[in-house]
Amino acid sequence: MRRDGADRAAEAAWSLVVPLKPLVRAKSRLSRATGEEFRPRLALAFALDTVAAALACEYVRDVVVVTDDPLAGERLAALGARIVPDTPARGLNAALVHGAGTVRARRPDAAVAALNADLPALRPAELGLVLHSAAEFPRAFLADAADIGTTLLTATSGVELAPAFGGPSRARHLASGAREILAADVPSVRRDVDTGEDLRAALALGVGPHTARHTPPPAGDGAMVEAAAPQAPPQVRASGA
């Protein structure tokens, strides 16, 4: 999908904003499946694999992580992300608005996208397909694997991000006028992880090295799920309000 000239430069201009709670509070629903020892480690591992994959995407210019966690900030900065403190401290959507504002304070014409921090199986090529499609609309989003939440929300140059993440955010983003990207075969961009079942599904797709290193052994006699080999995803399309 590589292009030359102005089109290629424009498509590569996405700035991604990734919000991350302090690790002591992140991914609380995973505790039952992994235990408290592994939960904060996994939250950081998910974020590291997500940001590393995003930075490797040909359509991503930079990644801004909004977090107050010093360890996460240090590790993610080492990957090449820019760390911004969560100065609003008013929850997820306020953090995303703050992150997008930080991007546009430096680059007013930036196209921005909010990306979940818990996509450990994220593949750069699949993210690129979604961003390529999203560039055709002022605002667009990708639903999660359950078709209830949202994993990615985009806003092109001059358009406010207007995030409405949390719970049934797919319906809220549709109602706001954002176009839904219909991407049946970009599973890594849709597979966020909140529960043990989600983690097993991500492992089946094939997670990044940080998550693979910190995933606890399963209970009982079951073996670790073997990472699936990446498949070339097809083109995506969009629909919506």
Side-chain angles (χ1 to χ4, degrees):
M1 186 186 293
R2 289 188 176 275
R3 295 186 178 186
D4 295 325
D7 288 345
R8 174 71 180 86
E11 287 181 342
W14 287 99
S15 289
L16 270 54
V17 179
V18 178
L20 181 62
K21 291 180 181 179
L23 298 177
V24 294
R25 295 192 286 110
K27 299 288 110 188
S28 58
R29 292 169 60 192
L30 268 180
S31 291
R32 183 173 179 180
T34 66
E36 277 299 295
E37 176 187 359
F38 288 99
R39 179 192 55 76
R41 298 182 196 177
L42 280 173
L44 176 56
F46 295 167
L48 290 167
D49 285 330
T50 299
V51 169
L55 286 168
C57 176
E58 64 176 334
Y59 297 138
V60 173
R61 176 186 177 119
D62 54 10
V63 175
V64 170
V65 178
V66 183
T67 187
D68 285 333
D69 191 284
L71 173 61
E74 180 181 354
R75 296 287 304 278
L76 291 162
L79 293 180
R82 181 157 64 98
I83 309 304
V84 173
D86 184 9
T87 51
R90 295 194 307 270
L92 173 59
N93 292 306
L96 289 170
V97 170
H98 174 58
T102 300
V103 169
R104 286 178 170 168
R106 291 189 174 189
R107 199 160 57 94
D109 295 332
V112 297
L115 181 70
N116 286 8
D118 58 352
L119 302 170
L122 185 62
R123 296 171 188 160
E126 291 184 13
L127 176 60
L129 284 174
V130 178
L131 292 174
H132 175 72
S133 183
E136 299 181 16
F137 309 101
R139 290 174 65 244
F141 74 95
L142 185 71
D144 64 11
D147 283 324
I148 296 172
T150 304
T151 59
L152 179 76
L153 174 70
T154 66
T156 53
S157 178
V159 179
E160 293 301 316
L161 188 61
F165 284 82
S169 61
R170 174 179 180 263
R172 289 196 297 273
H173 285 134
L174 270 175
S176 75
R179 297 294 295 267
E180 181 172 11
I181 304 300
L182 302 178
D185 291 302
V186 289
S188 75
V189 198
R190 302 184 68 197
R191 174 44 63 198
D192 55 348
V193 176
D194 290 312
T195 67
E197 182 179 356
D198 295 339
L199 179 55
R200 287 189 291 272
L203 290 167
L205 286 175
V207 296
H210 300 282
T211 302
R213 186 178 308 122
H214 291 289
T215 299
D221 297 327
M224 180 73 75
V225 179
E226 184 176 355
Q231 302 294 319
Q235 295 290 331
V236 298
R237 55 195 179 89
S239 73

